[in-house]
């Protein structure tokens, strides 16, 4: 159903093209029949309707099959399709009604329109892929944060000292509400944080909790430092 709804604009454009062509050929057939014998006429007609519609199909294909981003699956997609189709059809209709239009005039106009539309498609697609990549990175970071929280909660359930329990709960909350975004400037800090939590688990497993409070404080400071650096880099 969702895929069908995405294709509604494509269907609307197709129906509009058919209606325009019926009216176009009725008018030309009765008022300007000589136009139908011109090679330039059929070139402009093909670019205005067949090529433009083919580009719209390609755009929908990219949206439905090549990107997870809503950037090219919602309003921007439909807006680009209608604007692109409108430019093709309007410019084409103007040229189709010009008697004896030279091919050397029609060709560069259609090529420029097609080139601009193609560039927009490429930029839109690259933008969507960039968004996809960032979303995937963010999802991975969110999963990593959840894993760290789970580790700290496990450690918390393994100790009985009220002071350590409080410190671990505070650490868990600090990790939980950390910014999931990351960058190269905090990679080393994040590795230290992961190693520190791993060491906490080892301390608890070996019943060596004497230095656990100090390690929790150091880890909390590392997380705060990491979060501050992420905030500054935005």
């Amino acid at each position: 159903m969702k895929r069908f709804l995405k294709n509604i604009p494509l269907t609307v454009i197709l129906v509009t093209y058919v209606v325009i062509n019926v009216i176009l050929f009725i008018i030309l057939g009765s008022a300007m029949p000589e136009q139908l014998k011109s090679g330039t006429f059929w070139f402009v007609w093909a670019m205005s309707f067949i090529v433009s519609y083919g580009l719209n199909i390609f755009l929908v294909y990219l949206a439905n099959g090549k990107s997870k981003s809503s950037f090219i699956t919602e309003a921007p997609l439909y807006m680009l399709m209608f604007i692109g189709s409108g430019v093709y059809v309007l410019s084409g209709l103007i040229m189709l009604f010009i008697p004896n239009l030279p091919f050397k005039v029609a060709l560069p106009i259609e090529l420029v329109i097609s080139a601009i539309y193609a560039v927009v498609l490429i930029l839109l697609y690259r933008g969507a892929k960039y968004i996809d990549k960032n979303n995937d990175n963010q999802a991975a970071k969110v999963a990593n944060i959840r894993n760290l929280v789970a580790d700290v909660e496990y450690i918390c359930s393994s100790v009985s000292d009220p002071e350590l329990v409080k410190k671990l709960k505070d650490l868990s909350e600090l990790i939980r509400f950390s910014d999931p975004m990351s960058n190269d400037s905090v990679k080393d800090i994040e590795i230290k944080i992961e190693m520190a939590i791993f060491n906490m688990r080892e301390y608890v497993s070996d019943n060596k909790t004497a230095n656990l409070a100090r390690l929790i404080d150091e880890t909390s400071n590392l997380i705060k430092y990491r979060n501050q650096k992420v905030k500054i880099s935005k």
Side-chain angles (χ1 to χ4, degrees), residues 1 4 11 65 128 219 227:
M1 183 65 178
F4 171 75
T11 305
T219 306
N227 291 343

Side-chain angles (χ1 to χ4, degrees), residues 7 18 24 44 101 118 126 128 155-156 162 165 193 195 197 203 232:
N7 291 330
V18 171
L24 173 67
V44 173
L101 178 68
R126 288 178 64 87
I155 296 168
C156 185
V165 169
I193 292 170
M195 288 302 301
I197 293 176
Y203 285 169
I232 291 172

Side-chain angles (χ1 to χ4, degrees), residues 7-22 45 48-54 56-57 60 81-82 85-86 89:
N7 291 330
I8 286 179
L10 204 57
T11 305
V12 170
I13 292 174
L14 178 60
V15 172
T16 304
Y17 278 11
V18 171
V19 172
I20 291 174
N21 272 273
V22 170
W45 178 85
S48 301
F49 295 103
I50 297 178
V51 173
S52 67
Y53 195 70
N56 287 332
I57 292 176
V60 171
M81 287 173 61
F82 286 123
S85 299
V89 171

